Amino acid sequence: MLDFDIYPIIAAVRNEEDFNSALTADIQAIFLLDSSILTVESCVERAHKNNKLLYLHMDFVQGISNDAAGVKYLASKGIDGVISTR
């Protein structure tokens, strides 16, 4: 669960460089705004290894639809949550 009293900032990242920076930052959570079905599992593993929660923006994941099956797939890969504008 997010603790905004201790960690009021969430990193929103769009590329590998920003993701790497977020992994070492003093934050609790990362919003991944651009990703692919091919990179999701690796991102989850790396985030969790660095004690970060990882939320994925459903509308910008290449190869995954923003429907119930897509959410179930992401859950099976260990995503902590999803965000969407829809």
Side-chain angles (χ1 to χ4, degrees):
M1 173 167 264
L2 292 174
D3 188 341
F4 290 108
D5 291 329
I6 297 173
Y7 299 100
I9 297 171
I10 297 173
V13 301
R14 289 190 172 94
N15 57 51
E16 184 70 20
E17 182 180 342
D18 292 344
F19 186 74
N20 289 333
S21 294
L23 291 176
T24 60
D26 187 24
I27 58 167
Q28 182 184 21
I30 300 170
F31 283 176
L32 190 54
L33 302 177
D34 186 27
S35 58
S36 158
I37 192 172
L38 302 173
T39 60
V40 167
E41 194 167 2
S42 170
C43 289
V44 170
E45 289 173 4
R46 292 169 57 207
H48 289 172
K49 181 179 178 183
N50 286 280
N51 299 313
K52 310 292 184 198
L53 299 171
L54 185 64
Y55 295 83
L56 191 74
H57 198 303
M58 285 293 300
D59 303 328
F60 302 124
V61 183
Q62 297 175 29
I64 300 174
S65 181
N66 60 350
D67 58 14
V71 173
K72 287 179 185 178
Y73 173 80
L74 292 172
S76 76
K77 297 301 176 190
I79 291 290
D80 296 294
V82 297
I83 55 177
S84 177
T85 56
R86 299 174 192 192

